[in-house]
Amino acid sequence: MDLKYVLKVALKRKYVILFFTFLTVTAAFYFTKNMPLTYTSESIIASGLTDDSQVEIEDKEQKESEIKQQFSNIVELARSKKIIDQVSCKLLAHELSAGKLFTEPSGMFKDLTADARQSALLLLQNRIDSLKDLNYQDKNERGLMDLIKSMGFDFDGISRNLKVKRIDNSDFISVVYESQNPDMSAFVVNELSLTLIKYYKSSDKNKNLKLIGFGAQLTEEKKVELDEKVNTLKDYKIQNQIINLYE
């Protein structure tokens, strides 16, 4: 189609085009003006699953399907209630101890006495340190679970804004969280990542210790081998009266 013809038609209908453009912009502004701002934070976890120094040392024939399954297990663990409940406890502990809150306090939160806050903090810290879940059968812990839910920090409240995935076929796992508070978004991805790493290592200690030990031994062997080669080279230079000005 001729460009001049298109421009001619557009000019004839410019008022119609301007009207619909204005209408679209106005509608977009009207429907989005009251939408709250959201902030997204991301943390990256290096799994070590595709690291030759850790995976291929023990099994050089490991199949890609096995690695994918391991990544899938880690991602599911990160999304699990076990891990997210720990983040919930950390969020509530922050709100109870910090001067600046992440979110608007609930009525239940506002009604807490100083003694109740201190008791809640002690109980939360115990569950965080031990990686144990709150027990709904216990009256005090059930109260904490209700308080967590009132603040929107429960499993459903967090998981709906949480994304965890492997980055393509790399060794990295992405943890993304979105909230109306930038500090809260950063807090959630950082604490979830730290909790995931802590829990994963605690359930896989023997393997990690074995790999670390083997890696240290391998490094020492390489150092000894290098030192022997350097000494051999020095002896050769001395015997042949070779002078290296850069040594």
Side-chain angles (χ1 to χ4, degrees):
M1 185 178 292
D2 188 87
L3 181 59
K4 291 183 178 180
Y5 175 77
V6 174
L7 291 174
K8 186 177 180 181
V9 173
L11 286 172
K12 286 184 177 180
R13 301 179 181 179
K14 60 182 179 181
Y15 294 110
V16 175
I17 295 173
L18 287 173
F19 171 76
F20 281 104
T21 301
F22 175 77
L23 186 63
T24 302
V25 172
T26 303
F29 173 77
Y30 177 80
F31 287 111
T32 60
K33 66 176 181 178
N34 294 322
M35 291 180 64
L37 292 174
T38 58
Y39 302 87
T40 300
S41 286
E42 179 181 29
S43 68
I44 305 295
I45 303 172
S47 70
L49 295 178
T50 61
D51 185 353
D52 292 346
S53 64
Q54 293 192 20
V55 177
E56 295 188 1
I57 282 177
E58 290 191 321
D59 183 9
K60 293 183 179 180
E61 303 298 327
Q62 185 173 19
K63 297 179 181 179
E64 179 62 26
S65 60
E66 295 174 347
I67 296 177
K68 287 182 179 180
Q69 184 58 50
Q70 287 180 299
F71 272 107
S72 178
N73 292 341
I74 295 175
V75 169
E76 288 305 311
L77 177 61
R79 294 171 175 163
S80 69
K81 195 172 186 301
K82 175 76 177 178
I83 299 299
I84 292 180
D85 280 354
Q86 285 288 307
V87 178
S88 299
C89 289
K90 291 183 177 184
L91 278 169
L92 183 58
H94 173 275
E95 301 297 82
L96 289 170
S97 58
K100 184 179 179 182
L101 302 183
F102 285 148
T103 187
E104 186 69 23
S106 64
M108 189 176 182
F109 185 91
K110 292 178 180 178
D111 292 339
L112 291 174
T113 63
D115 289 340
R117 285 171 177 258
Q118 188 61 33
S119 298
L121 273 173
L122 291 174
L123 184 52
L124 287 169
Q125 195 58 54
N126 176 270
R127 289 295 176 260
I128 292 169
D129 292 340
S130 62
L131 287 177
K132 291 183 179 179
D133 301 331
L134 291 170
N135 181 9
Y136 191 77
Q137 301 303 319
D138 183 278
K139 182 180 178 181
N140 292 328
E141 296 188 25
R142 184 167 64 248
L144 279 181
M145 295 172 74
D146 292 338
L147 182 58
I148 286 172
K149 186 173 183 178
S150 74
M151 294 290 288
F153 298 156
D154 58 319
F155 176 78
D156 292 335
I158 294 177
S159 60
R160 71 167 61 100
N161 297 316
L162 177 69
K163 296 179 181 178
V164 184
K165 66 176 183 177
R166 180 185 182 186
I167 302 176
D168 298 327
N169 291 321
S170 70
D171 186 57
F172 303 106
I173 295 172
S174 168
V175 179
V176 177
Y177 188 75
E178 181 182 271
S179 75
Q180 295 178 26
N181 185 306
D183 295 328
M184 179 176 171
S185 295
F187 183 91
V188 170
V189 296
N190 289 334
E191 293 302 330
L192 189 143
S193 299
L194 290 172
T195 302
L196 176 64
I197 292 170
K198 181 180 178 181
Y199 185 82
Y200 191 75
K201 286 185 175 180
S202 70
S203 62
D204 201 20
K205 285 183 178 179
N206 293 332
K207 182 178 178 182
N208 286 335
L209 289 174
K210 182 178 179 182
L211 288 173
I212 292 171
F214 188 89
Q217 180 184 359
L218 180 63
T219 302
E220 184 62 28
E221 289 174 354
K222 293 294 183 183
K223 183 178 183 301
V224 171
E225 182 181 344
L226 178 61
D227 289 342
E228 289 177 352
K229 290 181 178 181
V230 170
N231 290 331
T232 300
L233 179 60
K234 285 183 178 180
D235 292 340
Y236 175 81
K237 289 180 178 181
I238 293 172
Q239 292 173 6
N240 293 273
Q241 297 182 342
I242 298 174
I243 299 175
N244 190 343
L245 295 176
Y246 296 98
E247 286 188 335

